[in-house]
Amino acid sequence: MRKKVQKRKLHKERLTFTLMALPFVIFTFVFSYVPLFGWIFAFTNYKPGRSLKNLKFEGLKYFRYIITFWNDVSNALINTLALSILSLMTMVLPILFALLLNEIRSSKYKRVVQTVVTMPNFVSWIIVYSLCFALFSTDGMINTFLDALGINATINILGNADGAWAFMTILGVWKSIGWSSIVYLAAIAGVDETLYDAAKVDGAGRFRCAVHVTLPGILPTFLVLLILGIGNLLNLGMEKYLLFSNTVTSSKLEVIDLFTYRMGIGTQQYSFATAVGILKSGVSILLLTITNLAAKKIRGETIL
Amino acid sequence: MKSKSTPFDWINVVLMFLMMLACFYPFYYMLVYSFSDPQLSKFGITLLPKGFTLENYRKVLTLPNILSAAGVSLLRTGIGTLVTVLCCSLFAYLVTKPMYGRKIIYRMLVLTMYVNGGLIPTYLVMRLYHLNNNFLIYILPSALSAYNVILIKTFMEQLPPSLEESAILDGASPIVRWWHILMPLSKPILATITVFAAVNQWNAWFDAHIYMTDSSKWPLQYILYRYLTEAQQAAAMLEKDLNGDMVAKEITPAAVRMTVTAVITIPILMVYPFMQRYFVKGIMLGAVKG
């Protein structure tokens, strides 16, 4: 009898919680899962404003466009891969920064440096673009300064297609190096003190301590972040490329996300843009699966 | 480690100083430019303001849309952050409780971190919901973030259950327990999430770019975007706005851009040093999860 009452009470409790969670479940469905069904638009001639009743099924027509426009698509792919790989390569810089900062003896100075260098991470890319425009454009600070020195060479950093990849990579480092180094600084703080003592007894100086004790200590953290980075290879974000691409640099800065944006919202080729988005998602899932397997092999556990 | 300073130490100190300079100077330049007389600053500024003036700020406040944009930015930061924190926290609380289909609900949430519709399908669906030109587009899509829910859930799970149990004995309802016991206990994690959500809302502009044609609903960031991409617009607007007033010509587009940039950045610069410990905590939480 008592057991039955208890069971009913448990049922009632469960029901209450389930009902309370229901709005959130519906919300997640509406905002995260319904857009997935939006992939159907890639197979139809849908345009906003057009009634869903007159939807015409077009089969793989818009996927064939990918081949028709292969020049543009492949250019976007190459840009995406190049910029991703460059940013993966610069992932060692936060480590270097953390190691050097760790060697600063005054803890106050250390804190100030860390605070200032982390700051750019919290401003938007628009602000970064605005600052770059003020400093680097043809009538910006650098060029007026050179002018004042009597040097008549206009440096056009923002309108330089050859240097666009490098410039964006440097900006990425500028914005994120302080932020990314926080994880490594924490990992360094977590290295066992006795290891340093042991190394010193063996006659290791500061440099060798850093290489043989600190670096191995932060290697696991780096590997995790590297694997995550490879899994996210195609997810570069597009805001910064949208801001920095202009008539000169657009051929070098048009990443896949920007291409879908331009095709979809810019020229209203919604179905084609969705098809390109699906292609990207497919490659992304493939990459994620591969890196997940690799992570399992290396670390014995998956990242997902 | 009380050995003497080596040349390496000196080089290191200088190197770190240069790093600081590279990160600090652009913001310094922005501030100095915004306080300079535009007629002098257009010939170049490097270190010191030329003809200190507040005129730029006064002028920028008279730009069309700028006050409504400031209102929108503040509103979306305030409401958006509040909604995110409340929703994520309540959902996280519920997920720690026995529910029918709890595992499926949780998996469904986690999956949203890895799979999404992508830009165009999301855009089309939001338009089908009639969220374009609607302030809610700033609030709703970011209201429930799987990542935040996971962080809060993990935090709540390691709290001692005895506190909530005593409230159950007192007959408190789940909502009361969540609000009066779990929320106050989760303050550290909620503070971190609040700070991140607020920064994200303040910095957001792309949603306005694709969904908002109604200029009265643009946030500050997007106003700046317009000034940056439509080079002459700022100057033209100034002249149009202060019709016939010759003073209008005294401010240059560059000064407008720098001042608007400063208006957007100063709140972040002012809040940031006090919030830094929450930021640091935030990335550590992320690292533990990774």
Side-chain angles (χ1 to χ4, degrees):
Chain A
M1 189 64 193
R2 225 183 120 202
K3 226 175 185 175
K4 215 170 180 184
V5 171
Q6 220 170 19
K7 212 173 172 185
R8 195 174 301 154
K9 213 174 142 195
L10 199 76
H11 166 74
K12 206 189 142 210
E13 201 193 50
R14 282 191 167 205
L15 199 66
T16 318
F17 285 124
T18 315
L19 285 177
M20 282 172 74
L22 200 61
F24 293 106
V25 175
I26 294 171
F27 190 90
T28 311
F29 185 77
V30 165
F31 280 96
S32 300
Y33 285 90
V34 175
L36 275 176
F37 292 109
W39 280 12
I40 294 169
F41 292 139
F43 305 94
T44 66
N45 61 347
Y46 179 73
K47 280 203 162 80
R50 216 179 259 184
S51 166
L52 283 177
K53 279 177 217 135
N54 310 333
L55 215 57
K56 207 173 121 210
F57 186 72
E58 301 262 21
L60 289 176
K61 178 179 164 192
Y62 295 104
F63 285 89
R64 279 196 289 273
Y65 276 18
I66 295 176
I67 298 162
T68 317
F69 292 102
W70 183 245
N71 276 344
D72 290 338
V73 177
S74 66
N75 183 46
L77 265 172
I78 289 168
N79 287 338
T80 310
L81 286 177
L83 286 159
S84 301
I85 289 167
L86 280 171
S87 83
L88 282 180
M89 277 160 61
T90 57
M91 273 180 70
V92 295
L93 293 176
I95 297 185
L96 193 66
F97 175 66
L99 286 176
L100 288 173
L101 189 62
N102 190 48
E103 294 296 327
I104 295 284
R105 298 187 174 197
S106 151
S107 62
K108 211 179 221 167
Y109 188 59
K110 215 192 257 186
R111 226 176 18 246
V112 173
V113 172
Q114 204 194 339
T115 304
V116 173
V117 175
T118 312
M119 194 174 61
N121 189 57
F122 297 101
V123 298
S124 65
W125 276 103
I126 295 211
I127 301 291
V128 177
Y129 178 64
S130 176
L131 294 174
C132 285
F133 197 81
L135 294 173
F136 302 130
S137 66
T138 41
D139 50 3
M141 191 280 271
I142 293 202
N143 280 313
T144 20
F145 186 67
L146 288 180
D147 238 22
L149 289 181
I151 302 168
N152 256 334
T154 310
I155 309 175
N156 193 356
I157 298 174
L158 297 175
N160 179 356
D162 295 328
W165 286 352
F167 183 62
M168 292 310 292
T169 307
I170 291 168
L171 274 185
V173 171
W174 177 80
K175 200 166 183 295
S176 68
I177 190 166
W179 176 247
S180 315
S181 69
I182 292 176
V183 180
Y184 297 118
L185 286 166
I188 290 173
V191 175
D192 192 351
E193 270 309 307
T194 55
L195 289 176
Y196 289 106
D197 296 336
K200 262 175 241 158
V201 170
D202 289 346
R206 277 164 79 188
F207 180 72
R208 296 185 63 183
C209 273
V211 172
H212 294 291
V213 182
T214 318
L215 258 188
I218 55 183
L219 201 63
T221 314
F222 173 70
L223 283 178
V224 172
L225 292 176
L226 185 69
I227 289 168
L228 282 174
I230 296 170
N232 274 321
L233 204 64
L234 298 187
N235 296 323
L236 273 177
M238 135 187 79
E239 286 188 13
K240 51 182 176 232
Y241 304 108
L242 176 61
L243 288 163
F244 279 90
S245 72
N246 50 42
T247 44
V248 185
T249 55
S250 63
S251 63
K252 290 285 180 182
L253 294 184
E254 185 157 274
V255 294
I256 292 186
D257 286 332
L258 187 55
F259 181 71
T260 23
Y261 161 78
R262 209 165 53 83
M263 283 295 126
I265 292 161
T267 60
Q268 311 205 320
Q269 308 254 9
Y270 297 103
S271 303
F272 173 47
T274 307
V276 176
I278 293 174
L279 178 76
K280 188 204 138 188
S281 296
V283 180
S284 278
I285 291 169
L286 194 73
L287 278 172
L288 213 58
T289 319
I290 293 170
T291 47
N292 208 31
L293 282 175
K296 205 169 182 178
K297 267 240 163 86
I298 297 168
R299 298 207 309 153
E301 53 178 309
T302 56
I303 47 172
L304 297 187
Chain B
M1 278 270 275
K2 276 277 177 279
S3 51
K4 253 178 72 182
S5 291
T6 56
F8 165 76
D9 283 305
W10 289 112
I11 295 168
N12 198 13
V13 166
V14 173
L15 196 69
M16 289 298 122
F17 181 77
L18 291 176
M19 289 281 299
M20 263 204 295
L21 199 67
C23 291
F24 179 71
Y25 180 74
F27 297 103
Y28 175 80
Y29 178 80
M30 164 193 84
L31 288 175
V32 164
Y33 204 105
S34 70
F35 285 116
S36 293
D37 184 342
Q39 293 309 316
L40 299 172
S41 57
K42 69 180 175 196
F43 299 112
I45 280 187
T46 44
L47 281 179
L48 294 171
K50 282 183 181 166
F52 184 87
T53 171
L54 290 172
E55 199 61 3
N56 292 329
Y57 286 88
R58 217 177 58 81
K59 289 270 170 51
V60 157
L61 286 181
T62 66
L63 288 175
N65 290 330
I66 203 97
L67 288 177
S68 73
V72 169
S73 281
L74 287 174
L75 272 180
R76 73 175 291 177
T77 305
I79 299 175
T81 308
L82 195 71
V83 169
T84 305
V85 171
L86 289 181
C87 285
C88 292
S89 148
L90 180 56
F91 194 30
Y93 168 71
L94 293 173
V95 169
T96 64
K97 296 288 152 200
M99 277 194 294
Y100 290 109
R102 176 169 171 262
K103 259 210 175 115
I104 297 173
I105 292 175
Y106 189 61
R107 289 252 170 85
M108 172 181 162
L109 183 77
V110 173
L111 195 63
T112 61
M113 292 205 297
Y114 302 104
V115 190
N116 59 64
L119 178 69
I120 302 299
T122 308
Y123 170 78
L124 294 174
V125 168
M126 294 300 139
R127 286 195 60 158
L128 279 175
Y129 294 162
H130 294 287
L131 283 174
N132 51 322
N133 278 328
N134 187 334
F135 182 75
L136 287 176
I137 193 70
Y138 295 147
I139 312 290
L140 294 181
S142 58
L144 255 196
S145 128
Y147 187 64
N148 288 348
V149 174
I150 292 168
L151 289 184
I152 303 173
K153 171 191 166 268
T154 316
F155 190 89
M156 284 179 172
E157 274 171 348
Q158 47 90 42
L159 292 171
S162 54
L163 293 158
E164 199 190 343
E165 275 159 16
S166 65
I168 296 178
L169 291 178
D170 290 343
S173 70
I175 286 279
V176 172
R177 268 138 53 193
W178 165 67
W179 182 255
H180 285 288
I181 298 172
L182 270 301
M183 283 286 276
L185 285 174
S186 314
K187 236 182 226 161
I189 182 78
L190 293 179
T192 304
I193 285 170
T194 305
V195 168
F196 273 94
V199 169
N200 283 341
Q201 282 287 358
W202 183 258
N203 282 344
W205 61 278
F206 191 69
D207 41 14
H209 181 53
I210 60 176
Y211 295 114
M212 291 290 184
T213 43
D214 179 357
S215 60
S216 69
K217 287 176 189 147
W218 287 344
L220 279 176
Q221 302 269 355
Y222 190 55
I223 296 275
L224 177 61
Y225 173 79
R226 304 285 291 210
Y227 286 152
L228 285 164
T229 46
E230 289 152 45
Q232 291 313 311
Q233 185 175 333
M237 272 182 165
L238 268 178
E239 282 173 50
K240 203 166 36 177
D241 197 56
L242 303 169
N243 225 344
D245 190 350
M246 289 308 286
V247 183
K249 291 221 168 63
E250 282 176 14
I251 188 164
T252 56
V256 172
R257 283 196 299 264
M258 277 296 95
T259 312
V260 177
T261 309
V263 167
I264 296 172
T265 318
I266 287 170
I268 293 225
L269 295 188
M270 278 176 22
V271 173
Y272 167 68
F274 305 102
M275 295 298 161
Q276 206 204 359
R277 63 195 184 100
Y278 295 117
F279 291 136
V280 171
K281 219 186 262 164
I283 198 170
M284 288 328 295
L285 289 165
V288 170
K289 204 207 120 261

